[in-house]
Amino acid sequence: MRPDGVSSANGPSHVSNGSVTSPSHKVGLSHSLNGQASYAASNGDLHTNGVQKSSVSPPSYFGHDREEVTRILIQSLYELGYNGAASLLSKESGYQLESPAVATFRGAVLAGRWAEAERILVQSFYPDGTRRGTSGDSDHLPTKERLVLVENAEMNEMLFYLRQQKFLELLEARNLSAALTVLRHELTPLNYDIARLHALSSLLMCPPEHLHDQAGWDGSISSSRERLLSELSKSISPSVMIPDNRLAILLDHVKQNQINQCLYHNTASPPSLYSDHMCDQADFPSRPGLELSQHSDEVWYCQFSHDGTKLVTAGRDHSVIIYDTSTFAVLHKLMEHDDGVVHACWSPDDSKLITCSQDKTARVWSVDVSLASYNLDRIVTKCYTDWAMLIDH
């Protein structure tokens, strides 16, 4: 896990432990999990997670768990900015978005109250009190604040991420003595991710202007804390802390499933949510719109450039042909190979083209469309014991 985060337009949390905050203040806690959310549950202002106020409503929604559907809708309304509607839905349904423990933990992380956040984690792993928190002031936190964790959650991993964030923020503030203390007495005893620990220790000698690059950290406290919370949430049960943008993710799955089931799919436009998607068979290309006949023998390979402006074809006639896809005019014809060309590939920025031939050479070309020149940069030669076998595989 890296401590850097997705940029956020919202500030840090305004929810304090044990406070009662109105729903209109929930927008102060943003990007709680994956850097996208624009909501946060207040600590203690709603009913216990999953408890309904009324049993009048049917137990399910068309076969779906009613509580899950309602809480996802509440989350989505906050993300869409309809805070009043989200608050009203929560009040009317009796479902809260998050448990009080999650709200307290969120507030502690986003506000940088590391002792409080650690105490909640330790209590969640040791609900019977067999292990005390590591922070001196943790006794001020009620013991009822416990997270519901996933089965494979690791306490040392979660503590490492918290203390790593604390360490980096101290480095950012150039409080080197405090950062060294955290490194020696908090991070090292966890004995977790030794390679990362060594990398963090090297940052103590890093010049301030290079700290962000060396640490892989953007230095923004608010966004990095939100990213931290997002990573920590992977160890927290979604039953109490719903992953961000859950409805949007589900809708993406629906759209992709419809595309996968469309026999004649032939459009880049995303399907509408208003109706089931199915492309018309008549729109599927069944007749050639253009025939490229510049090769004199079999065409063995073709590929569009990443930007879609060029097409390369290679074939048995030893030639490689590059076309302009706006007119499909030939930009250049490469004839330097001594045998059939079986493969061609564009570099990620389309500035290079590599061609592989049965003459046991791979040729790398520098592409300059403005000059209509394809200069041979170098020839990479590699002999194969059985080239035909390589092609078959």
Side-chain angles (χ1 to χ4, degrees), residues 291-362:
E291 184 175 306
L292 304 177
S293 56
Q294 282 74 16
H295 283 280
S296 59
D297 209 329
E298 296 175 358
V299 177
W300 285 350
Y301 193 81
C302 64
Q303 186 185 68
F304 286 100
S305 61
H306 295 87
D307 61 8
T309 62
K310 297 178 287 293
L311 171 69
V312 61
T313 60
R316 187 176 181 178
D317 59 0
H318 310 181
S319 69
V320 177
I321 303 177
I322 295 94
Y323 303 86
D324 178 357
T325 56
S326 61
T327 61
F328 284 96
V330 175
L331 293 174
H332 205 79
K333 189 171 185 177
L334 312 176
M335 297 294 298
E336 280 72 8
H337 281 292
D338 297 327
D339 207 336
V341 184
V342 297
H343 191 80
C345 185
W346 300 96
S347 64
D349 61 357
D350 296 327
S351 64
K352 303 284 185 181
L353 178 69
I354 185 170
T355 56
C356 303
S357 169
Q358 286 185 325
D359 62 9
K360 298 181 176 64
T361 63

Side-chain angles (χ1 to χ4, degrees), residues 85-268:
S87 177
L88 182 60
L89 177 57
S90 179
K91 180 179 179 181
E92 184 173 353
S93 66
Y95 297 123
Q96 69 175 48
L97 185 58
E98 295 177 337
S99 68
V102 170
T104 303
F105 182 70
R106 180 196 302 281
V109 172
L110 295 181
R113 300 193 298 272
W114 308 120
E116 182 180 342
E118 285 196 18
R119 176 56 186 269
I120 295 175
L121 280 182
V122 173
Q123 288 183 160
S124 301
F125 280 95
Y126 298 94
D128 57 355
T130 55
R131 170 169 172 166
R132 295 177 58 83
T134 58
S135 303
D137 60 347
S138 59
D139 290 334
H140 295 290
L141 193 66
T143 57
K144 65 179 180 179
E145 304 296 357
R146 299 189 182 108
L147 304 172
V148 180
L149 303 171
V150 298
E151 185 176 354
N152 60 344
E154 297 183 17
M155 185 178 70
N156 281 5
E157 178 185 22
M158 300 180 75
L159 289 175
F160 185 90
Y161 295 149
L162 278 173
R163 295 173 183 180
Q164 176 182 246
Q165 177 73 19
K166 180 181 178 181
F167 172 79
L168 290 172
E169 290 187 14
L170 290 171
L171 283 184
E172 173 78 10
R174 306 311 298 165
N175 191 345
L176 299 184
S177 60
L180 181 59
T181 300
V182 171
L183 183 67
R184 287 178 174 176
H185 302 292
E186 298 185 27
L187 281 166
T188 302
L190 294 174
N191 196 31
Y192 178 83
D193 198 347
I194 303 303
R196 178 60 179 168
L197 186 64
H198 291 165
L200 292 175
S201 63
S202 68
L203 297 177
L204 289 167
M205 305 300 295
C206 180
E209 60 271 18
H210 300 308
L211 176 62
H212 295 169
D213 291 336
Q214 293 296 322
W217 192 44
D218 62 4
S220 171
I221 291 180
S222 60
S223 62
S224 60
R225 287 177 180 176
E226 289 155 3
R227 181 60 179 268
L228 168 65
L229 187 62
S230 173
E231 296 297 334
L232 291 172
S233 71
K234 297 176 182 179
S235 298
I236 301 174
S237 172
S239 66
V240 295
M241 194 173 190
I242 304 174
D244 280 351
N245 311 307
R246 185 57 186 162
L247 180 60
I249 293 173
L250 293 174
L251 294 178
D252 284 340
H253 291 334
V254 170
K255 288 184 176 181
Q256 189 58 50
N257 184 60
Q258 292 195 15
I259 290 174
N260 293 340
Q261 293 183 357
C262 181
L263 296 177
Y264 308 104
H265 192 71
N266 188 38
T267 176

Side-chain angles (χ1 to χ4, degrees), residues 334 346 350-354 363-369 372-378:
L334 312 176
W346 300 96
D350 296 327
S351 64
K352 303 284 185 181
L353 178 69
I354 185 170
R363 297 174 182 258
V364 182
W365 307 84
S366 178
V367 180
D368 188 350
V369 177
S373 68
Y374 290 78
N375 301 318
L376 182 62
D377 276 356
R378 60 189 180 276

